[in-house]
Amino acid sequence: MKRSRTRLGQRLRKPAFRAAVTLATGASLLLTGGCATLHGVKAPHDAREAAAEESGAQKSAGGPDSPGSPDCTVAKCVALTFDGGPSKPTPKLLDILKEKKVHATFFLQGKGHTDTYPDTVLRMSEEGHEIANHTWSHKVLTELSAEEIEAEMKPVQDDVRRITGRAPVLMRPPQGRTSDDVSAVMRKLGLAQILWSVTAKDYATTDTALITRRVLGQTRRDGIILLHDRYKGTVPAVPGIIDSLRRRGYTVVTVSQLLAPASPEPGTVYRP
């Protein structure tokens, strides 16, 4: 046991492992060897239940108020999300989602993306997809000052507001790395932080079949799937992923639909 504790202590002193531990636990945690902390992590299920209790609704009768929206207190929901776009392949993805009658959440990057493909951003909005912020240049936010974090977030907020008429209320920190300091800035900017439970690591493979297997193997109820529409193997995998999820009884939703009747709280970290 002593030897195991020593090994853990050695691993915790490595910055990359410290960050991974923070996200894996989903709890209030002091990062060993540093002063960063992460509080306020909520699971979608817990956020829904708390909102239903606060409103006095019965658990079985809770759910989004919008007519026709999925009720994830009853349905077996999973959120489909895409990071790092829009890019050249994105319109093809939008065609697929339209054909499958699925709405997704897009965490958009700024430099080379929102400033380059504004028509695609507008199409996302017009077709009912949820648009969120994934920073201007994908810098790791935990390594930046508060002013630098704001400089990464605000240009994307401005681009999306200018194109669609509404700024995002959700964001995803690059590499999933966040802290209480990052949360404080997001609270100020009115942005909730959305992590994930399913990753195909599609940035490292062009194998569509492998991407599909990875997604299906990890997906559970109330999960959040992370994909990247900019990579070659990903968009071709999407039709099969959606069809297979539906055969398994899943309802594919946006992040906000997954959280409803809760509303995303600025600064809060949501992670299944």
Side-chain angles (χ1 to χ4, degrees):
M1 178 65 74
K2 183 176 181 181
R3 183 177 299 173
S4 297
R5 288 174 178 168
T6 300
R7 287 175 182 163
L8 179 59
Q10 291 170 344
R11 294 171 75 189
L12 280 168
R13 284 193 288 272
K14 297 179 180 179
F17 187 77
R18 293 203 305 269
V21 169
T22 303
L23 300 182
T25 61
S28 170
L29 177 67
L30 176 65
L31 302 187
T32 304
C35 58
T37 56
L38 179 62
H39 298 80
V41 180
K42 289 186 178 180
H45 174 272
D46 295 338
R48 288 198 308 264
E49 286 208 335
E53 289 176 5
E54 186 174 330
S55 66
Q58 295 295 322
K59 181 179 178 182
S60 60
D65 295 329
S66 302
S69 293
D71 181 353
C72 293
T73 65
V74 177
K76 191 168 83 168
C77 292
V78 61
L80 180 61
T81 73
F82 296 89
D83 280 12
S87 298
K88 190 174 181 179
T90 307
K92 175 60 177 176
L93 172 60
L94 293 175
D95 290 343
I96 293 168
L97 296 175
K98 186 175 183 179
E99 178 186 349
K100 298 293 183 182
K101 295 181 172 57
V102 166
H103 291 135
T105 301
F106 287 88
F107 291 88
L108 302 186
Q109 206 165 306
K111 186 178 181 181
H113 299 279
T114 59
D115 63 353
T116 305
Y117 300 97
D119 291 345
T120 304
V121 177
L122 181 59
R123 180 182 169 187
M124 289 175 182
S125 176
E126 290 178 340
E127 294 185 358
H129 299 289
E130 184 168 42
I131 298 177
N133 192 327
H134 194 45
T135 75
W136 178 253
S137 59
H138 209 258
K139 292 179 181 177
V140 175
L141 301 182
T142 52
E143 298 175 356
L144 305 179
S145 67
E147 292 76 14
E148 290 169 331
I149 294 171
E150 287 197 33
E152 276 290 296
M153 306 309 301
K154 284 185 173 179
V156 181
Q157 294 292 98
D158 293 342
D159 272 359
V160 174
R161 183 187 294 109
R162 184 179 65 254
I163 295 166
T164 71
R166 185 167 61 179
V169 297
L170 306 178
M171 65 81 64
R172 175 167 283 156
Q175 301 180 19
R177 292 175 61 182
T178 187
S179 66
D180 284 349
D181 291 339
V182 174
S183 296
V185 178
M186 296 309 135
R187 192 174 303 112
K188 175 182 176 182
L189 297 177
L191 290 163
Q193 304 175 79
I194 310 299
L195 303 185
W196 61 89
S197 57
V198 180
T199 175
K201 297 184 178 179
D202 53 350
Y203 51 81
T205 182
T206 60
D207 188 335
T208 293
L210 177 59
I211 291 168
T212 302
R213 288 197 302 273
R214 285 174 172 173
V215 170
L216 297 178
Q218 297 172 51
T219 298
R220 303 291 183 271
R221 183 174 183 173
D222 291 333
I224 299 176
I225 299 169
L226 164 62
L227 292 169
H228 301 79
D229 44 305
R230 62 201 283 187
Y231 296 121
K232 185 177 179 180
T234 302
V235 172
V238 172
I241 289 171
I242 292 172
D243 290 345
S244 295
L245 289 173
R246 283 174 165 165
R247 284 195 296 269
R248 297 179 184 196
Y250 287 100
T251 298
V252 183
V253 298
T254 66
V255 168
S256 288
Q257 288 174 331
L258 185 68
L259 296 177
S263 296
E265 299 176 9
T268 297
V269 177
Y270 292 93
R271 186 197 66 111

